[in-house]
Amino acid sequence: MPPHQLNTAAIDVLLHLENTVPSKNEHLQELHWDLQKFHKDHMQSSVMRARKNRYIDLIRDFLKSEDLKKNFPPGIFVDRLVVFGSFATHCASKFSDLDLCVCMRYNGFCDPNRKPPPIWALRSIHYHLIHHRRTLSEKFDGAKIEDVEFISNAKVPILRFKIDGVPVDLSASFSDRPPKSCLAAKLINAYCQLDDRFAILVTFLKMWLKSEGDPVDHLKDFPNSYSLILLLIHVLQWYRIVPNLYQTHAYLFNHHKATSWDDVDLESDEFWMPLDQKTIICHQQRPSKHLTVVQLLYLFGTQYTTKNRLDEYSFNMKTGALQLKKSREYSLSIIDIYDENNPGRSARDTEYLVEALRLLTRTITDPRHGMLQSILEITSQQLYEDPERPSILAPDPTETTQKTCIKMIREVINTTISEDIKTDYFVDILTWEPAENILEISAKIRCDTRRVVELFNGPKSTEIQKLAEESLQKLFELELDLKLIVCFQDD
């Protein structure tokens, strides 16, 4: 084994997992069932799947229509349309878009090694969608095409549009071989077939750590969905909970052996159920099969809360090992089987991922009623943005505690902000005290609170500011109402 590569997980973590996250704890059992319900509520229905299949057929017919062929440069023609992404797996949610790839052919070059850029095809399709809007409804059997956008300067150029409100991302390829993205979907599909816990975790992690960013520069707070799935597979392989299917079933998932388009055909039973029954039965007999979804979620959290591990190591999906990064160009480095350009490159940093997972593991190790809601608030309220924030597990404040917090915050504001700023930004100061609940109070002080923080931490350190900081610190030490403190700190 190379000295820069780690192949062995800390087995003692598994040995002590039942003590750390006891499966029989009533609150953890509640979380286990809530996660299963979350998956059921968010997964794609059979009706939605049938509807999307119809849209795929309509798009396929459109791409091969005679009118569209006239827009293509001489020698370019459509071979087929293939599906990848979440729709090609068991991981699609009711909000998932359609990831499609139009596979083109070009007979204008004598040299087979010279390939035209995919953008040629996408530009022609985009031109047709824009300049034939009046007749599009007829071509798509009454389906409405809207929000057409050509993102030509992205790392992977795509044509984005909606068909009856369903988002579609259309890419193009001039390769003679099946797209690797389809084989990646097939591999993920196999893990869903192998272990139902995997599909539940994928649904939750994708919804919980949903990234938002500019589609052009791909800057995101969290890794993209594909990277999250790879990280989940890696940690499950790391602890020997699932096998490395790329190694054990190379004939199914090795892209060098995928020469037939049947290998990426969604209509094929082999694609939807790629694993044989013997493999599944063997997996069912693994000792780790008794681990709950909550325990696996905890393992995922602990694996990626060590920032040094994310900063220094790459996650090798081919071998299942950790190996030292060759460069620090990207915060998250994944050596993927199919994407040679590091799918983790879209995450601009790993700080938020680490902090969100730290709050997740802290929540799991302090069981209480309504844990799923507390976990969802970590990302919905962006609690991960402040790593210095006290525990989010503080008990609900009493009426006396609320009044104490209100009094202390009023003192902070009155001693640091002048009357004119107070008039402009802090309306209804006198109505805070009779507020019925802490959420109502929080809403009343959600204003230009960034100005307050600037005054606290400004270049001029006055005695008044010092007094205000001490008062705020007392609030932190009480650990009574973090929702109110969060609203007070954040803009």
Side-chain angles (χ1 to χ4, degrees), residues 208-209 221-223 228 231 300-311 315 331-332 347 349-362 378-379 383-387:
W208 185 56
L209 297 174
D221 290 344
F222 297 112
L228 285 174
L231 292 176
F300 180 87
T302 55
Q303 182 78 344
Y304 302 112
T305 50
T306 306
K307 201 171 189 307
N308 289 340
R309 181 174 293 168
L310 293 168
D311 290 340
F315 301 91
S331 298
L332 178 61
D349 197 357
T350 57
E351 179 182 355
Y352 286 161
L353 174 65
V354 169
E355 293 303 328
L357 292 176
R358 281 178 179 168
L359 293 175
L360 167 72
T361 54
R362 189 186 306 173
I378 293 173
T379 52
L383 303 182
Y384 53 82
E385 287 190 345
D386 184 6

Side-chain angles (χ1 to χ4, degrees), residues 412-413 416 451-458 465 468-469 472 488:
V412 171
I413 293 175
T416 52
R451 174 62 176 165
V452 182
V453 176
E454 288 175 356
L455 287 169
F456 287 164
N457 304 315
Q465 289 177 357
E469 289 177 357
L472 190 61
F488 183 63

